C-alpha cells in the first residue's frame, strides 16, 4: 500500500514536468516549421531560380518586389557596375575624354576571365575600352581604367568601397574591380540595384549597354568580336542594360534595366543555377513591375516652375525647368492626389547652358520627399554685353529707379 501511495505522489510531482516538456517540444516543432517557411525558396510565381532578387523603380527607388534582398553573395561581374560609375564620373569631370588613348600595363594584360586579350603596352581609346567593359564585361579593360584613375587596382577598389558608403550601401565590400571570386568580396541584390540606380543617371552609358555586337581593333589582324553578355537587350521590349555575371561561387547573376511608358525599372537576380532561367525570371520580374505599376507625372520635363531676374543676363528673366518629369509611382488603376514640391536653387553663375544643373526640385507627399529631379534653364543664358549693361543703367536713371 505504501508503494502504491509513493507511486501516486511521484506521478503528481512529475506531471507538470512532463507537460512542460511536451509544450517545449511543440514550440520547437512550430519554430522549425516557421524557419522552414521563412527560408523557403520554391517558385513564388516570380523567382524560380536564384538565391535573391529585387525590383525597383529607378527615379524613386521604390521597391516593388524583393526576396532575400539584403543577403550577401558573390556578385561576379556585376561588380563592374560600380567600376563603370567611377569611370563615368571621371569622364563627366573631364579627367578622361572619350578619344583619350590609354596604355595597357603588364598587370592589366594578365587578367583572366572575360577579356579582350589586351597586350602589354597596347594602346586603346577610352571609348573602345569602355565598350569592352559595358558590352563584353572585359576584366583587362576594367583594370586599365582602374590603373588610370587611381594608379593601382587596389587604390581603385578603395574608391569603389568609398562610393558604396556614400550611397549608403551596407551589404557590399569589394576586393577587386572586376568581380573575380575572392574572400570578403560580396554584395546584395538591394545594393546592386542601388548601384545600377546611380549608374543610369549617367545616360551616356546606354549608348554602350544597348549595343548587342560590335568590333574592336577594326582593320587589324587582331580584330575582336564583342557580343553583349546581356541577351535581354535583344529579347525584352524596352531593355537597355545593364550587367551580367557568372563565377563558380556566384552562380548566374544579372542586374537589368528596362524603360517603358516613362518608367524605368531595375531588377537584380543573384545566384541562379542557369543563365536561361535567370533571364526568364528577370523578364517575369520586369513584366510584374510594368503590369502592376505606372508613373503619375506631377511636373513635366521643361515646364517652367520658377522665373528669376538677373540684371547681368542677356535675357533678364531666367526660366527654370525640371530636366526630367517629376513623377510618383502608383499602382495601375489608382491615382494620388496632387502633390506639393519645393525647390532649392544654387547661386546663379553666368553663363548657363541648357542642361546645366542649377538646383533641385523635391516632390513631396506631405513632409516626405518621394522624388528629386535636377533643375536647369529653359534656354541658354548668356552674360549681357557691356553695351547692354550700359543701356540698362541709362534706362534706370531716366526712369528714376537709380
Amino acid at each position: 500500500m505504501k508503494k502504491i501511495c509513493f507511486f501516486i505522489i511521484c506521478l503528481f510531482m512529475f506531471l507538470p514536468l512532463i507537460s512542460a516538456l511536451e509544450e517545449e517540444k511543440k514550440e520547437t516543432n512550430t519554430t522549425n516549421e516557421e524557419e522552414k517557411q521563412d527560408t523557403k525558396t520554391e517558385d513564388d510565381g516570380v523567382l524560380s531560380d536564384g538565391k535573391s532578387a529585387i525590383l525597383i523603380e529607378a527615379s524613386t527607388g521604390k521597391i516593388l518586389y524583393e526576396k532575400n534582398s539584403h543577403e550577401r553573395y558573390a556578385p561576379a561581374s556585376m561588380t563592374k557596375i560600380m567600376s563603370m560609375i567611377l569611370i563615368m564620373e571621371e569622364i563627366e569631370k573631364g579627367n578622361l575624354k572619350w578619344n583619350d588613348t590609354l596604355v595597357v600595363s603588364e598587370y592589366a594584360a594578365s587578367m583572366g576571365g572575360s577579356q579582350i586579350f589586351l597586350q602589354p603596352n597596347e594602346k586603346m581609346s577610352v571609348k573602345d575600352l569602355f565598350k569592352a567593359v559595358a558590352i563584353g564585361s572585359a576584366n583587362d579593360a576594367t583594370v586599365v581604367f582602374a590603373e588610370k584613375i587611381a594608379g593601382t587596382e587596389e587604390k581603385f577598389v578603395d574608391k569603389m568601397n568609398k562610393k558604396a558608403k556614400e550611397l549608403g550601401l551596407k551589404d557590399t565590400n569589394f576586393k577587386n574591380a572586376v568581380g573575380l571570386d575572392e574572400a570578403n568580396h560580396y554584395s546584395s541584390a538591394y545594393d546592386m540595384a542601388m548601384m545600377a540606380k546611380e549608374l543610369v543617371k549617367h545616360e551616356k552609358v546606354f549608348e554602350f549597354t544597348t549595343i548587342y555586337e560590335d568590333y574592336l581593333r577594326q582593320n587589324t589582324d587582331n580584330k575582336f568580336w564583342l557580343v553583349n553578355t546581356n541577351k535581354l537587350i535583344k529579347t525584352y521590349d524596352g531593355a537597355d542594360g545593364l550587367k551580367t555575371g557568372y563565377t563558380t561561387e556566384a552562380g548566374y547573376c544579372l542586374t537589368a534595366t528596362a524603360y517603358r511608358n516613362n518608367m524605368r525599372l531595375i531588377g537584380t537576380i543573384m545566384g541562379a543555377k542557369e543563365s536561361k532561367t535567370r533571364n526568364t525570371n528577370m523578364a517575369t520580374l520586369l513584366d510584374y513591375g510594368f503590369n502592376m505599376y505606372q508613373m503619375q507625372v506631377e511636373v513635366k520635363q521643361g515646364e517652367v516652375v520658377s522665373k528669376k531676374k538677373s540684371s547681368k543676363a542677356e535675357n533678364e528673366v531666367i526660366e527654370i525647368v525640371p530636366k526630367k518629369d517629376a513623377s510618383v509611382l502608383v499602382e495601375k488603376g489608382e491615382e494620388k492626389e496632387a502633390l506639393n514640391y519645393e525647390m532649392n536653387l544654387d547661386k546663379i553663375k553666368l553663363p548657363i547652358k541648357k542642361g546645366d544643373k542649377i538646383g533641385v526640385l523635391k516632390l513631396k507627399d506631405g513632409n516626405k520627399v518621394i522624388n528629386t529631379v535636377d533643375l536647369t534653364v529653359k534656354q541658354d543664358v548668356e552674360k549681357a554685353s557691356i553695351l547692354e549693361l550700359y543701356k540698362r543703367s541709362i534706362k534706370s536713371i531716366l526712369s528714376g529707379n537709380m
Side-chain angles (χ1 to χ4, degrees):
M1 185 68 180
K2 289 180 180 179
K3 289 181 178 179
I4 294 172
C5 289
F6 178 74
F7 176 75
I8 292 170
I9 290 169
C10 288
L11 184 62
F12 277 104
M13 287 175 64
F14 284 104
L15 272 174
L17 180 59
I18 294 167
S19 177
L21 288 170
E22 284 297 320
E23 190 64 32
E24 184 179 346
K25 185 178 179 182
K26 288 179 182 177
E27 288 178 0
T28 302
N29 288 339
T30 302
T31 302
N32 288 341
E33 287 300 316
E34 288 174 353
E35 286 175 354
K36 286 178 183 176
Q37 290 175 4
D38 288 343
T39 57
K40 65 184 180 180
T41 57
E42 68 265 19
D43 185 356
D44 62 0
V46 179
L47 185 69
S48 64
D49 184 16
K51 295 176 181 177
S52 66
I54 194 169
L55 180 70
I56 67 168
E57 191 281 314
S59 67
T60 62
K62 176 77 174 177
I63 298 172
L64 312 183
Y65 171 92
E66 62 180 334
K67 190 169 186 177
N68 302 327
S69 65
H70 289 281
E71 292 296 316
R72 297 173 176 181
Y73 299 111
S77 279
M78 292 194 303
T79 297
K80 296 185 183 84
I81 292 175
M82 179 59 86
S83 298
M84 287 193 286
I85 291 172
L86 298 185
I87 295 166
M88 291 303 300
E89 286 181 347
E90 290 298 303
I91 290 170
E92 291 179 5
K93 288 175 186 174
N95 296 334
L96 279 176
K97 295 181 174 60
W98 291 111
N99 59 355
D100 284 352
T101 299
L102 304 186
V103 181
V104 180
S105 70
E106 293 242 3
Y107 176 69
S110 72
M111 288 294 105
S114 300
Q115 57 184 301
I116 55 170
F117 301 98
L118 291 169
Q119 299 300 309
N121 299 315
E122 182 177 356
K123 295 178 181 180
M124 188 171 284
S125 71
V126 166
K127 184 176 181 180
D128 281 352
L129 285 166
F130 197 80
K131 273 185 189 179
V133 177
I135 303 171
S137 195
N139 293 340
D140 46 4
T142 305
V143 173
V144 172
F145 279 118
E147 292 177 332
K148 175 62 179 178
I149 292 169
T152 66
E153 183 187 14
E154 184 179 359
K155 289 181 179 178
F156 185 77
V157 171
D158 289 341
K159 285 179 173 287
M160 293 169 70
N161 286 321
K162 183 181 178 183
K163 185 67 178 181
K165 287 180 181 178
E166 288 175 6
L167 295 174
L169 309 181
K170 297 178 180 179
D171 298 307
T172 293
N173 188 65
F174 296 117
K175 299 295 286 184
N176 60 71
V178 299
L180 295 174
D181 288 337
E182 188 171 343
N184 211 33
H185 184 95
Y186 59 80
S187 190
S188 66
Y190 175 88
D191 284 8
M192 292 308 313
M194 291 301 149
M195 286 180 231
K197 179 177 179 288
E198 182 68 16
L199 179 59
V200 299
K201 292 177 183 177
H202 306 278
E203 296 184 0
K204 181 78 174 178
V205 77
F206 292 119
E207 292 183 20
F208 298 89
T209 59
T210 52
I211 298 171
Y212 187 73
E213 60 180 329
D214 204 344
Y215 288 91
L216 298 175
R217 306 186 188 96
Q218 292 270 27
N219 305 316
T220 73
D221 293 335
N222 296 319
K223 187 176 180 180
F224 190 87
W225 184 35
L226 280 176
V227 180
N228 204 314
T229 55
N230 178 16
K231 307 307 178 190
L232 286 185
I233 64 165
K234 197 172 184 180
T235 62
Y236 190 84
D237 181 29
D240 51 9
L242 203 53
K243 196 72 206 70
T244 62
Y246 172 80
T247 65
T248 304
E249 182 183 344
Y252 290 94
C253 305
L254 173 61
T255 293
T257 183
Y259 186 81
R260 289 186 198 167
N261 301 321
N262 298 315
M263 180 166 71
R264 177 168 295 284
L265 299 182
I266 295 170
T268 297
I269 293 175
M270 301 185 76
K273 294 176 182 176
E274 298 178 7
S275 61
K276 186 176 180 180
T277 51
R278 175 200 64 186
N279 293 347
T280 302
N281 276 203
M282 182 59 74
T284 302
L285 196 60
L286 293 168
D287 280 345
Y288 168 78
F290 285 122
N291 290 338
M292 295 297 293
Y293 296 91
Q294 63 185 14
M295 299 304 292
Q296 179 177 309
V297 178
E298 295 292 319
V299 186
K300 292 182 179 180
Q301 177 183 1
E303 179 181 336
V304 177
V305 292
S306 182
K307 294 181 180 181
K308 295 290 180 184
K309 283 193 173 183
S310 174
S311 60
K312 295 181 180 180
E314 190 174 66
N315 186 342
E316 290 183 87
V317 178
I318 301 173
E319 294 183 319
I320 298 167
V321 300
K323 291 175 73 172
K324 293 183 177 180
D325 290 341
S327 306
V328 58
L329 183 74
V330 296
E331 289 191 30
K332 285 189 175 179
E334 294 185 3
E335 187 174 338
K336 270 191 175 289
E337 294 182 5
L339 303 176
N340 61 310
Y341 63 83
E342 65 179 40
M343 292 178 292
N344 300 118
L345 293 174
D346 302 332
K347 186 176 180 180
I348 292 178
K349 296 179 181 179
L350 303 176
I352 308 170
K353 296 292 184 184
K354 183 179 179 180
D356 289 350
K357 180 183 174 183
I358 61 167
V360 294
L361 181 149
K362 295 179 179 179
L363 193 61
K364 302 177 77 175
D365 188 356
N367 292 323
K368 183 181 178 183
V369 177
I370 56 176
N371 201 353
T372 301
V373 297
D374 291 343
L375 293 170
T376 188
V377 289
K378 192 173 181 69
Q379 57 189 19
D380 292 349
V381 181
E382 303 293 341
K383 289 181 179 180
S385 65
I386 294 175
L387 179 60
E388 180 61 31
L389 292 174
Y390 177 73
K391 287 179 180 178
R392 288 176 188 174
S393 296
I394 297 299
K395 186 176 180 181
S396 295
I397 292 169
L398 295 175
S399 62
N401 291 332
M402 287 185 69

